[in-house]
Amino acid sequence: MNAMRISQLAERTRVPATTLRFYETSGLLPADRTTSGYRLYGEDAVERLAFIGAAKHLELPLKEIAELLGVWESGTCREVKADLRPRLVAGVAAAEERAAELAAFTATLRSALEHIDALLDRTGRCDPQCGFPAPAKSSTGQPAASRPSPGPVDVALSPSRRASEEEVERWRTAPVACSLTGEQTAQRATAWRQALTGARRQIPEGLCLTLPVSRAAAVAELAAAEQGCCPFFDFRLHLDGPDLHLEVRAPAEGVGLLTELFTDAA
């Protein structure tokens, strides 16, 4: 087997020598040593670097790459696939979350652009009458723009959204009963039917409906009203570019009512 010096391996694989040294210290790329202390690599290092490069392209952290390399070295292709799959599933979820955040932020920018384009070109200074869209405040009172990245535009219409995640959500323990009566119930169902024409899919403990974002105000108003008579429903609205995702959940005893109301409406 022909041995390569670090410069030769770097030239062949187009991986900088500094990166090769870093991989060695990270335990990803072992190297033999000459009596003079020079690093020596075999042909297997080329394959190993290709594997590392592919894993980095998937944005896997170095710790996970090291774990995968251990399976790759001693296991079968089936074992590598079994180890890699849950990591890819987690990566897809994280990428979709980032995409949703970016889509929501893009929608915010477009809304701001449309707003300033509609403003009159006055010769005076800007004042509150301009209605220039100000950045939302964070929980600390600082402008949201000072945070490192925009968050998804989410609205939760539930009396259960408390500061501590360890506290029990109220909708889970609320009595499964509606305070509306005959005609009121029919009117509310009609209002939902008019608002919820769109795609529907199952989620844990409920449903998710995807609607045009233009219906956000009407849907939020309906959800708030529904909370008043049916506190066992949990509503969450997610603005995602041109889409509004409405999630509705209920405890096990209320799933039948949830399905009856929102499936018929959709």
Side-chain angles (χ1 to χ4, degrees):
M1 180 183 296
N2 295 328
M4 292 175 284
R5 295 280 184 91
I6 191 170
S7 58
Q8 294 171 311
L9 181 61
E11 181 178 1
R12 179 169 171 181
T13 60
R14 297 187 179 181
V15 177
T18 53
T19 302
L20 298 177
R21 296 188 188 96
F22 174 71
Y23 285 166
E24 182 183 10
T25 58
S26 300
L28 301 180
L29 185 69
D32 294 328
R33 298 277 179 164
T34 66
T35 55
S36 302
Y38 291 105
R39 294 175 177 83
L40 289 178
Y41 301 92
E43 287 293 324
D44 60 317
V46 177
E47 278 191 38
R48 194 178 187 92
L49 284 172
F51 187 93
I52 293 171
K56 285 190 66 180
H57 185 69
L58 299 174
E59 296 191 6
L60 294 178
L62 290 182
K63 180 181 178 182
E64 293 193 18
I65 295 176
E67 294 168 353
L68 267 173
L69 278 169
V71 180
W72 177 70
E73 284 181 315
S74 58
T76 63
C77 182
R78 176 183 298 177
E79 291 170 324
V80 173
K81 286 173 59 178
D83 191 276
L84 179 60
R85 193 178 191 285
R87 304 178 196 273
L88 293 181
V89 170
V92 168
E96 288 178 343
E97 183 177 355
R98 293 199 303 269
E101 292 175 358
L102 182 59
F105 184 56
T106 301
T108 299
L109 291 175
R110 284 175 177 162
S111 177
L113 183 60
E114 291 173 1
H115 182 78
I116 65 169
D117 284 345
L119 290 177
L120 296 177
D121 292 329
R122 300 188 302 164
T123 57
R125 291 174 57 85
C126 274
D127 56 37
Q129 292 182 357
C130 289
F132 188 81
K137 297 289 185 179
S138 69
S139 59
T140 60
Q142 297 297 319
S146 65
R147 287 175 284 175
S149 62
V153 182
D154 282 316
V155 180
L157 296 177
S158 168
S160 62
R161 304 289 283 185
R162 307 181 189 179
S164 172
E165 294 181 357
E166 297 178 357
E167 294 188 53
V168 177
E169 293 180 320
R170 294 180 186 175
W171 64 273
R172 296 184 184 280
T173 57
V176 179
C178 180
S179 61
L180 296 181
T181 56
E183 185 178 350
Q184 294 173 320
T185 302
Q187 290 174 347
R188 181 66 54 77
T190 299
W192 276 120
R193 190 173 296 110
Q194 293 172 347
L196 296 186
T197 303
R200 178 179 64 87
R201 61 184 172 85
Q202 295 288 142
I203 59 173
E205 301 179 292
L207 301 170
C208 179
L209 299 103
T210 299
L211 315 164
V213 74
S214 58
R215 300 184 198 169
V219 169
E221 184 177 353
L222 270 172
E226 195 70 41
Q227 276 271 293
C229 63
C230 298
F232 58 92
F233 282 149
D234 177 62
F235 295 92
R236 306 185 189 193
L237 282 69
H238 179 83
L239 305 182
D240 183 10
D243 296 325
L244 165 67
H245 303 296
L246 170 65
E247 296 181 2
V248 190
R249 293 177 174 82
E253 299 84 354
V255 169
L257 292 174
L258 180 151
T259 303
E260 180 181 352
L261 176 60
F262 294 100
T263 299
D264 289 346

